[in-house]
Each structure stands twice: as structure tokens, then as C-alpha cells.
Amino acid sequence: MPAATFNLEPLDISLQIPHHFRCPISLELMRDPVTLSSGQTYDRSSIDAWLATGNTTCPVTRQPLMDFNLIPNHTLRRLIQDWCVSNRSFGVERIPTPKQPAEPVLVRSLLRQAASGPYGVRASSLRKLRSLARESDKNRIVIAANNAREVMMSIAFADVGSDLRHDSLAVLSVLALTEEECVSVGSDPDRIGFLVNLLFHSSIDVRVNSAAVIESVVAGIRSPELRAEISGAEGVFGGIVGILNYPFIHPRGVKVGIKALFALCLAKQHRGRAVAAGAVEALVERLAEVENCGDAERALATVELLCRIPAGCAAFEAHALTVPLLVKVTLKVSGRATEYAAGALLALCSASERAQRDAVAAGVVTQLLLVVQSDCTERAKRKAQMLLKLLRSSWSDAYVVKTEDFAGSDVVLF
């Protein structure tokens, strides 16, 4: 949904957004004003983020919230829209009217039609459900609340037309499965085999949806033995790596591919399969492009996992971009990302003198010294200290670290 935008060049600097049109959290013009039980109004995206972090009070009044229902403030939204229209000459664009969540009655009707009936009706109902699920989180909540997972699973793994199976899988891929449902899929070799086969489908969307369901199933299972069984399925790593290597821009494919690869690599005994399937090259290439913090963290965590086996360590060390890239992302993404990058560098440099020289040449020493005195995780600091000690012999005379730059810190210069 596009936000209200301002063309700054012709915009009159005297134009002021009315105070009551601004969200008290973001201080930006509200696009979807909603009111809390405290009577205060906020932009939906801002208050959703506030509540999602575990806060249980009103940001303005600090009063405990009696409930967490968000009531759309239609009157205020219309006033904001009118103000936008009246100030169009100043470069203000009208905010759109937010779409309301799908009606539960409609969702239940579509699910009934999708479950049984003429093929054409089932196909049409599934396409509508797929479209609704793609539109918003609110729609997905409504769909999930009406027993959609059971219906979608009964279609996806049934002997019906491929269109029905693919569309039901698309809906299933954006819903959170229960542990019981994950075990039901993960413990059935035929179901896992079906999903793995779809990783090689001609449609990239079918491939990505299948990968999303596989990731959800693996992540939702507690049993290490069952997770390892799925990770050991023939072709699963090749299919996931194929998605990451898709030659055209597909942001969801990259996100899902990284998540699935990380989940599968948690089974230590099958990490060699990931390396053999080309996971190392795919991760390095995608890590250079990924922008989302969560995706970068998972990619780096997977790199560290693969560096814990000799084959993975050797493959990463052989790739010319690995070490410079790991040094570059240190302190650039998040504390966790820095921890994973430091861990991967420690493994690589412990196994290879060439990696040590490459890391020093890329400026890792300064980065590590900064990590030790930063607010990164304790594990990140510990790995940084270990790596600094390991690299001591690789510091050339030309690489000078000014001790006064780190005065007062707990950095130990060897």
C-alpha cells in the first residue's frame, strides 16, 4: 500500500502537517489510523510494531491496555484524505483507503467449495483463497482461524489435479503449521518426496512454495532424528540451492531459500550434502546481494554451520569472495550477524594460513578490535578475541594498530 509521498522540490516549506494527523510514535502522517482501548489513535503499522515487541501499555498514556483490539478510525482517515486532496498543489498525494480483512463468512464458503465439488469450482475457490492470503497478514489470520490448514493439507497431498495441489500448497506455504501438522508431513516419506519433487518444477512459484512448506515442517519438528530424515531426503539440497541460483530477481525465493537451507543444515550429518549441492557458492553470491537483516543473519549462520565441517570449510576458503565478504559484513548488519561472521572467519582462519592473510589484508584486525569494545553479543566478543590471537602471527609490520585508539577498552593487543 503506497504511503503519502511529498515531492520536496515544489513543496512549500510553510506547509505543516496538522499535529492530530501525525502518529504519536512515528510522527509521520497516518495512513491507517486505529484507536486503542486507551482512546489514543496511532498509525496501524506503528502500533502493531509496538505491540509485537511485547509492550502492554499505551505509548502515550502509559496506561495498561485492557485489550489489544485496534479499532479503525474512519472519521480521522477521511479528514486526512481530505487534507491531502486540498494540499495536492503542494505535492501531497492522497492516502489510499486501507483494505479491510476478508470476511470470515466468505473464507468459510471458499474453504467448503475448495474441499469438495466440481473441479472448476474447487480451482476457482483455491485461486481466490490464494489471492486473499497474499494480500495481507490480516487475511492470513482470518483464513488460518477457519481450519484452512487441514483443508489445504487434505488437497495438497491427495490424488487430485496438479492445479488444485499447487494452489493449496501456495496457501499452506504462508500459514503457520502446528507441531502435530509438521510431524504428520515430516514423518510421511511420500509427502516429503512429493514436496522435494516440486523443488524441480518448471514454475519458480511452485518451487518456492514447496521450499517454504519444507522449511516450516523442519522448523516445527522437535525430534532431531525426524529433522535429520527430512534433511537426508534425496535431492532436497539440490532443489533449495537451485532456488537460490534462480537467474532472475525473486525476493521471496531468496528469503525462503535461505531459511530452508539454514533449517536443513541444522542436521550436522547432512551438511556435506549441502556442500556437494553447491550451497557454498550460492550462499556467497546471495550474501553479497541480500539486504534484509533477518535474511543476512540466517545466511551467515548457515555459512558458520557449513564451516564446521572440513568440506564446507575448504569450499568457502577456495571462494575468493568469502573472506573479504565476511570481513565486510562484520558490524554492518547486527550483533548476531557479526557473531556468525566472526565464527565463520575463526573456522576458516584456523584451517588455512591463506585465509588468515586474506582476512588481515581485508582489514579484519581493526574490525575485530571494534567488535570487542562494542555492544555485540558476548559470544561475538569471545570469537573476536580468539581470532585476534590466532591472527597475531599474520600481522605484517606494515599493519599498524594504534594502541591509543583503543585506550580505556578491554581489548587485549597481543
Side-chain angles (χ1 to χ4, degrees):
M1 187 182 299
T5 58
F6 297 88
N7 185 350
L8 294 181
E9 290 185 4
L11 184 63
D12 190 326
I13 60 173
S14 65
L15 180 65
Q16 297 291 326
I17 300 175
H19 176 73
H20 54 288
F21 289 176
R22 293 179 182 268
C23 173
I25 297 175
S26 68
L27 301 181
E28 300 290 338
L29 184 71
M30 287 188 278
R31 297 164 49 198
D32 187 6
V34 292
T35 302
L36 286 178
S37 58
S38 63
Q40 291 291 324
T41 297
Y42 303 90
D43 200 14
R44 185 184 293 275
S45 61
S46 296
I47 193 62
D48 275 344
W50 169 266
L51 296 174
T53 56
N55 292 297
T56 59
T57 58
C58 172
V60 170
T61 66
R62 297 295 178 181
Q63 295 175 352
L65 296 173
M66 304 305 294
D67 63 65
F68 299 99
N69 292 323
L70 305 179
I71 310 300
N73 193 328
H74 298 299
T75 301
L76 180 57
R77 175 180 50 76
R78 283 191 288 268
L79 288 172
I80 294 174
Q81 288 175 325
D82 290 343
W83 178 85
C84 291
V85 171
S86 64
N87 288 281
R88 185 178 299 165
S89 61
F90 295 103
V92 181
E93 293 184 4
R94 181 182 183 274
I95 62 169
T97 300
K99 281 190 175 181
Q100 295 303 306
E103 290 293 334
V105 173
L106 170 64
V107 170
R108 286 193 290 269
S109 174
L110 290 173
L111 287 169
R112 281 196 301 270
Q113 293 171 359
S116 62
Y119 190 92
V121 174
R122 297 182 72 185
S124 175
S125 299
L126 281 169
R127 284 194 296 271
K128 290 176 182 176
L129 284 166
R130 179 177 182 172
S131 177
L132 289 172
R134 281 177 170 176
E135 277 185 7
S136 67
D137 289 335
K138 291 180 279 187
N139 282 354
R140 288 190 282 274
I141 291 171
V142 174
I143 292 171
N146 284 277
N147 204 32
R149 296 188 304 274
E150 182 178 336
V151 175
M152 294 303 110
M153 287 178 64
S154 70
I155 300 171
F157 300 112
D159 186 15
V160 295
S162 59
D163 288 348
L164 299 186
R165 301 182 84 178
H166 295 165
D167 282 335
S168 62
L169 197 67
V171 177
L172 202 59
S173 71
V174 295
L175 301 179
L177 303 180
T178 66
E179 184 180 3
E180 183 180 355
E181 290 163 343
C182 291
V183 171
S184 171
V185 175
S187 59
D188 188 329
D190 290 336
R191 291 183 169 186
I192 292 298
F194 168 69
L195 293 172
V196 171
N197 285 336
L198 289 183
L199 294 176
F200 300 91
H201 194 274
S202 58
S203 166
I204 185 61
D205 289 330
V206 172
R207 293 160 64 186
V208 172
N209 290 334
S210 180
V213 173
I214 290 173
E215 187 278 329
S216 182
V217 167
V218 175
I221 292 175
R222 295 184 187 180
S223 166
E225 294 78 17
L226 186 50
R227 289 202 304 266
E229 265 187 55
I230 300 170
S231 298
E234 189 65 35
V236 66
F237 281 110
I240 299 300
V241 170
I243 292 173
L244 288 174
N245 287 334
Y246 187 66
F248 304 106
I249 297 173
H250 200 292
R252 182 170 179 250
V254 173
K255 177 183 288 290
V256 169
I258 289 173
K259 288 181 69 176
L261 187 59
F262 171 71
L264 292 167
C265 284
L266 289 174
K268 181 179 180 180
Q269 59 267 50
H270 296 304
R271 289 173 193 166
R273 289 173 177 255
V275 175
V280 167
E281 294 79 5
L283 280 170
V284 173
E285 297 299 323
R286 287 308 184 189
L287 191 55
E289 304 168 357
V290 74
E291 296 180 355
N292 179 275
C293 177
D295 295 342
E297 287 180 351
R298 287 190 187 90
L300 288 165
T302 309
V303 170
E304 185 180 10
L305 287 175
L306 293 181
C307 280
R308 294 178 182 176
I309 63 170
C313 203
F316 277 116
E317 194 270 337
H319 198 300
L321 293 180
T322 300
V323 171
L325 192 57
L326 290 174
V327 174
K328 182 179 178 180
V329 299
T330 301
L331 290 175
K332 294 290 178 62
V333 180
S334 68
R336 280 188 178 180
T338 295
E339 177 188 329
Y340 301 140
L345 283 168
L346 181 59
L348 290 169
C349 292
S350 296
S352 165
E353 290 186 1
R354 174 186 151 187
Q356 293 180 23
R357 293 192 297 269
D358 289 346
V360 171
V364 74
V365 175
T366 300
Q367 292 291 79
L368 294 174
L369 291 169
L370 292 172
V371 169
V372 174
Q373 61 177 346
S374 72
D375 59 354
C376 286
T377 65
E378 288 305 313
R379 285 192 297 270
K381 294 179 181 181
R382 188 161 57 249
K383 291 174 182 178
Q385 287 276 23
M386 293 170 66
L387 189 49
L388 279 168
K389 187 173 183 178
L390 177 67
L391 293 175
R392 179 183 177 185
S393 61
S394 297
W395 294 7
S396 67
D397 294 337
Y399 197 102
V400 179
V401 179
K402 297 180 180 179
T403 56
E404 62 267 23
D405 290 345
F406 299 95
S409 75
D410 57 357
V411 176
V412 178
L413 294 175
F414 302 100

